[in-house]
Short mmCIF file of all heavy atoms in Angstrom, two decimals:
data_model
loop_
_atom_site.label_atom_id
_atom_site.label_comp_id
_atom_site.label_asym_id
_atom_site.label_seq_id
_atom_site.Cartn_x
_atom_site.Cartn_y
_atom_site.Cartn_z
N ARG Q 427 -25.30 94.30 16.12
CA ARG Q 427 -24.59 93.77 17.29
C ARG Q 427 -23.78 92.52 16.94
O ARG Q 427 -23.47 91.70 17.79
CB ARG Q 427 -25.56 93.47 18.43
CG ARG Q 427 -26.48 94.63 18.69
CD ARG Q 427 -26.46 95.29 20.03
NE ARG Q 427 -25.65 94.87 21.10
CZ ARG Q 427 -24.85 95.71 21.78
NH1 ARG Q 427 -24.72 96.95 21.39
NH2 ARG Q 427 -24.20 95.28 22.83
N ARG Q 428 -23.46 92.41 15.68
CA ARG Q 428 -22.74 91.22 15.21
C ARG Q 428 -21.41 91.01 15.94
O ARG Q 428 -21.05 89.90 16.32
CB ARG Q 428 -22.50 91.37 13.70
CG ARG Q 428 -21.69 90.24 13.09
CD ARG Q 428 -22.45 88.94 13.26
NE ARG Q 428 -21.54 87.82 13.13
CZ ARG Q 428 -21.80 86.74 12.41
NH1 ARG Q 428 -22.96 86.62 11.80
NH2 ARG Q 428 -20.93 85.77 12.34
N LYS Q 429 -20.69 92.11 16.16
CA LYS Q 429 -19.39 92.01 16.82
C LYS Q 429 -19.54 91.44 18.23
O LYS Q 429 -18.78 90.57 18.66
CB LYS Q 429 -18.78 93.41 16.93
CG LYS Q 429 -17.68 93.72 15.94
CD LYS Q 429 -16.65 94.45 16.71
CE LYS Q 429 -15.69 95.40 16.13
NZ LYS Q 429 -16.11 96.74 15.87
N GLN Q 430 -20.54 91.95 18.94
CA GLN Q 430 -20.79 91.49 20.31
C GLN Q 430 -21.19 90.01 20.29
O GLN Q 430 -20.80 89.24 21.16
CB GLN Q 430 -21.90 92.31 20.97
CG GLN Q 430 -21.51 93.72 21.37
CD GLN Q 430 -21.57 94.69 20.19
OE1 GLN Q 430 -21.74 94.31 19.04
NE2 GLN Q 430 -21.39 95.97 20.49
N LEU Q 431 -21.97 89.66 19.29
CA LEU Q 431 -22.39 88.26 19.17
C LEU Q 431 -21.16 87.37 18.99
O LEU Q 431 -21.01 86.35 19.68
CB LEU Q 431 -23.34 88.07 17.99
CG LEU Q 431 -23.69 86.60 17.67
CD1 LEU Q 431 -24.54 85.99 18.78
CD2 LEU Q 431 -24.42 86.46 16.33
N ASP Q 432 -20.26 87.78 18.09
CA ASP Q 432 -19.06 86.97 17.86
C ASP Q 432 -18.23 86.84 19.13
O ASP Q 432 -17.73 85.76 19.46
CB ASP Q 432 -18.21 87.57 16.73
CG ASP Q 432 -18.88 87.36 15.37
OD1 ASP Q 432 -19.73 86.45 15.27
OD2 ASP Q 432 -18.57 88.10 14.42
N ALA Q 433 -18.10 87.96 19.86
CA ALA Q 433 -17.32 87.94 21.10
C ALA Q 433 -17.98 86.99 22.10
O ALA Q 433 -17.31 86.19 22.76
CB ALA Q 433 -17.21 89.34 21.68
N GLY Q 434 -19.30 87.10 22.21
CA GLY Q 434 -20.04 86.25 23.14
C GLY Q 434 -19.90 84.78 22.80
O GLY Q 434 -19.64 83.94 23.67
N LEU Q 435 -20.04 84.47 21.52
CA LEU Q 435 -19.95 83.07 21.11
C LEU Q 435 -18.55 82.53 21.34
O LEU Q 435 -18.37 81.37 21.72
CB LEU Q 435 -20.34 82.91 19.64
CG LEU Q 435 -21.84 83.07 19.33
CD1 LEU Q 435 -22.09 82.92 17.84
CD2 LEU Q 435 -22.67 82.05 20.10
N ARG Q 436 -17.54 83.40 21.10
CA ARG Q 436 -16.16 82.95 21.32
C ARG Q 436 -15.98 82.58 22.79
O ARG Q 436 -15.43 81.55 23.13
CB ARG Q 436 -15.17 84.04 20.90
CG ARG Q 436 -13.77 83.48 20.64
CD ARG Q 436 -12.87 84.41 19.88
NE ARG Q 436 -13.52 85.46 19.69
CZ ARG Q 436 -13.66 86.73 19.26
NH1 ARG Q 436 -13.23 87.19 18.96
NH2 ARG Q 436 -14.33 87.68 19.13
N GLN Q 437 -16.49 83.46 23.65
CA GLN Q 437 -16.38 83.22 25.09
C GLN Q 437 -17.09 81.93 25.49
O GLN Q 437 -16.55 81.09 26.20
CB GLN Q 437 -16.97 84.41 25.83
CG GLN Q 437 -16.97 84.28 27.32
CD GLN Q 437 -15.55 84.24 27.87
OE1 GLN Q 437 -14.70 85.01 27.45
NE2 GLN Q 437 -15.30 83.32 28.79
N LEU Q 438 -18.30 81.77 25.00
CA LEU Q 438 -19.07 80.57 25.36
C LEU Q 438 -18.38 79.31 24.84
O LEU Q 438 -18.40 78.28 25.50
CB LEU Q 438 -20.49 80.67 24.78
CG LEU Q 438 -21.40 81.73 25.41
CD1 LEU Q 438 -22.74 81.78 24.70
CD2 LEU Q 438 -21.61 81.45 26.89
N THR Q 439 -17.76 79.43 23.67
CA THR Q 439 -17.05 78.28 23.12
C THR Q 439 -15.86 77.91 24.00
O THR Q 439 -15.62 76.75 24.29
CB THR Q 439 -16.56 78.59 21.69
OG1 THR Q 439 -17.67 79.07 20.94
CG2 THR Q 439 -16.00 77.36 21.01
N GLU Q 440 -15.13 78.96 24.41
CA GLU Q 440 -13.95 78.69 25.25
C GLU Q 440 -14.32 78.06 26.57
O GLU Q 440 -13.61 77.24 27.11
CB GLU Q 440 -13.19 79.99 25.50
CG GLU Q 440 -12.36 80.37 24.30
CD GLU Q 440 -11.71 81.75 24.45
OE1 GLU Q 440 -11.69 82.29 25.60
OE2 GLU Q 440 -11.23 82.24 23.44
N GLU Q 441 -15.46 78.45 27.08
CA GLU Q 441 -15.91 77.87 28.34
C GLU Q 441 -16.49 76.48 28.14
O GLU Q 441 -16.79 75.79 29.10
CB GLU Q 441 -17.03 78.73 28.95
CG GLU Q 441 -16.53 79.95 29.62
CD GLU Q 441 -17.70 80.76 30.14
OE1 GLU Q 441 -18.77 80.18 30.39
OE2 GLU Q 441 -17.53 81.96 30.30
N VAL Q 446 -19.63 76.19 18.18
CA VAL Q 446 -20.07 77.04 17.08
C VAL Q 446 -19.63 76.44 15.75
O VAL Q 446 -18.52 75.92 15.64
CB VAL Q 446 -19.51 78.47 17.24
CG1 VAL Q 446 -20.01 79.38 16.12
CG2 VAL Q 446 -19.95 79.05 18.57
N THR Q 455 -16.88 84.27 10.10
CA THR Q 455 -17.84 85.25 10.61
C THR Q 455 -18.94 85.42 9.56
O THR Q 455 -19.32 86.51 9.22
CB THR Q 455 -17.18 86.62 10.89
OG1 THR Q 455 -16.39 86.96 9.76
CG2 THR Q 455 -16.32 86.56 12.13
N LEU Q 476 -25.89 85.57 26.39
CA LEU Q 476 -25.60 86.52 25.30
C LEU Q 476 -26.29 87.84 25.61
O LEU Q 476 -25.73 88.92 25.44
CB LEU Q 476 -26.09 85.97 23.95
CG LEU Q 476 -25.22 84.89 23.31
CD1 LEU Q 476 -25.89 84.32 22.07
CD2 LEU Q 476 -23.82 85.43 22.96
N GLU Q 479 -24.75 89.27 29.31
CA GLU Q 479 -23.33 89.58 29.39
C GLU Q 479 -22.83 90.34 28.17
O GLU Q 479 -21.82 91.01 28.22
CB GLU Q 479 -22.52 88.30 29.58
CG GLU Q 479 -22.79 87.65 30.94
CD GLU Q 479 -22.18 86.26 31.03
OE1 GLU Q 479 -21.09 86.05 30.47
OE2 GLU Q 479 -22.82 85.38 31.64
N TYR Q 480 -23.50 90.20 27.04
CA TYR Q 480 -23.01 90.84 25.81
C TYR Q 480 -24.03 91.77 25.18
O TYR Q 480 -23.78 92.34 24.12
CB TYR Q 480 -22.54 89.77 24.81
CG TYR Q 480 -21.39 88.98 25.38
CD1 TYR Q 480 -21.60 87.84 26.13
CD2 TYR Q 480 -20.08 89.44 25.20
CE1 TYR Q 480 -20.55 87.15 26.70
CE2 TYR Q 480 -19.01 88.75 25.76
CZ TYR Q 480 -19.26 87.60 26.51
OH TYR Q 480 -18.21 86.93 27.08
N VAL Q 482 -26.68 91.18 23.63
CA VAL Q 482 -27.12 90.71 22.31
C VAL Q 482 -28.46 90.00 22.44
O VAL Q 482 -28.56 89.01 23.16
CB VAL Q 482 -26.09 89.70 21.75
CG1 VAL Q 482 -26.60 89.11 20.44
CG2 VAL Q 482 -24.74 90.35 21.56
#
Side-chain angles (χ1 to χ4, degrees):
R427 311 241 358 128
R428 177 62 200 226
K429 257 222 206 81
Q430 287 81 351
L431 172 68
D432 288 339
L435 287 179
R436 200 164 2 175
Q437 178 65 44
L438 291 177
T439 309
E440 282 173 14
E441 282 178 25
V446 182
T455 48
L476 283 173
E479 293 170 36
Y480 297 89
V482 175

